[in-house]
């Protein structure tokens, strides 16, 4: 949403017959953007790793590194996304900072069509300097998944471990 010509890119992709989606933290999604793009943009994926303000600051999920998006903002955001008729997907990166959190109540409220859970992934040459404090074991990742396993009736919970992600995305 920082790209000023994003609406042109969305329209071009849609006009070429593609399913369109943006991934965002939502901090720049305005009602005017949502209204203007509702015929060309199919999905909005919102990156929400935690609903805890301190966790979001610790993981860098904060505006200018200091002001985290709050639960109230995320509730308002998912309400607005649905009001304009977009498909809602939530992406969460699970790390040492949030693997013990419970997001069930928020997921029940927001009812995303998909909730993707990514195990924090070390990428050589990309995040080497800071990743050590975030890495979790496969067991810790599975603990988070198990805590939310009862949400399958509300949304498609799609976990992706490090083994599943490696080689499956252009990184």
């Amino acid at each position: 949403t920082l790209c000023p010509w994003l609406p042109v890119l969305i329209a071009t992709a849609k006009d070429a017959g593609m399913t369109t989606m943006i991934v965002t933290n939502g901090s720049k999604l305005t009602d005017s953007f949502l209204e203007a793009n509702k015929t060309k943009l199919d999905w909005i994926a919102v990156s929400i790793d935690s609903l805890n303000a301190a966790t979001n600051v610790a993981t860098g999920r904060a505006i200018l590194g200091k002001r985290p998006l709050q639960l109230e903002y995320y509730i308002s955001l998912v309400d607005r996304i649905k009001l304009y008729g977009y498909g809602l997907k939530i992406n969460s990166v699970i790390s040492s900072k949030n693997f013990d959190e419970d997001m069930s109540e928020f997921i029940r409220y927001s009812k995303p069509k998909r909730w993707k859970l990514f195990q924090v992934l070390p990428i050589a040459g990309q995040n080497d300097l800071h990743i050590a404090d975030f890495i979790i074991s496969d067991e810790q990742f599975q603990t988070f998944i198990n805590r939310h396993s009862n949400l399958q009736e509300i949304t498609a919970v799609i976990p992706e471990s490090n083994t599943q992600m490696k080689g499956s995305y252009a990184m």
Side-chain angles (χ1 to χ4, degrees), residues 147-159:
R147 183 178 307 115
H148 298 91
S149 63
N150 62 341
L151 298 172
Q152 288 287 0
E153 62 196 38
I154 293 167
T155 183
V157 179
I158 305 166

Side-chain angles (χ1 to χ4, degrees), residues 121-141:
L121 178 65
I123 304 172
Q126 297 292 313
N127 60 8
D128 308 65
L129 298 176
H130 305 287
I131 194 65
D133 290 340
F134 294 90
I135 292 175
I136 58 172
S137 67
D138 292 341
E139 292 77 22
Q140 289 170 313
F141 184 54

Side-chain angles (χ1 to χ4, degrees), residues 5-160:
W5 56 89
L6 181 60
V8 174
L9 296 173
I10 293 167
T12 301
K14 189 64 176 178
D15 292 346
M18 296 179 189
T19 298
T20 56
M21 178 189 305
I22 61 170
V23 179
T24 177
N25 71 3
S27 65
K28 302 284 184 189
L29 279 183
T30 63
D31 284 323
S32 61
F33 177 91
L34 293 169
E35 176 65 35
N37 291 282
K38 68 182 182 181
T39 62
K40 301 289 182 174
L41 182 59
D42 301 308
W43 288 82
I44 297 177
V46 181
S47 298
I48 305 173
D49 297 342
S50 176
L51 301 168
N52 179 301
T55 301
N56 284 331
V57 170
T59 59
R61 292 283 194 187
I63 298 167
L64 301 175
K66 297 177 184 170
R67 188 171 55 92
L69 297 174
Q70 303 286 334
L71 172 61
E72 298 77 23
Y73 178 80
Y74 288 127
I75 289 171
S76 169
L77 179 63
V78 299
D79 287 347
R80 290 173 33 236
I81 289 169
K82 289 180 168 193
L83 176 70
Y84 286 97
Y86 294 100
L88 173 64
K89 177 182 165 189
I90 295 177
N91 291 339
S92 299
V93 176
I94 311 308
S95 72
S96 64
K97 309 296 184 195
N98 65 353
F99 82 93
D100 59 350
E101 295 182 15
D102 188 344
M103 295 177 65
S104 298
E105 187 176 330
F106 176 73
I107 297 300
R108 279 190 193 95
Y109 175 82
S110 58
K111 294 181 181 78
K113 292 182 181 179
R114 293 185 196 133
W115 185 24
K116 273 211 140 164
L117 306 175
F118 299 99
Q119 182 179 6
V120 68
L121 178 65
I123 304 172
Q126 297 292 313
N127 60 8
D128 308 65
L129 298 176
H130 305 287
I131 194 65
D133 290 340
F134 294 90
I135 292 175
I136 58 172
S137 67
D138 292 341
E139 292 77 22
Q140 289 170 313
F141 184 54
Q142 191 62 50
T143 296
F144 187 90
I145 294 165
N146 292 346
R147 183 178 307 115
H148 298 91
S149 63
N150 62 341
L151 298 172
Q152 288 287 0
E153 62 196 38
I154 293 167
T155 183
V157 179
I158 305 166
E160 289 194 19

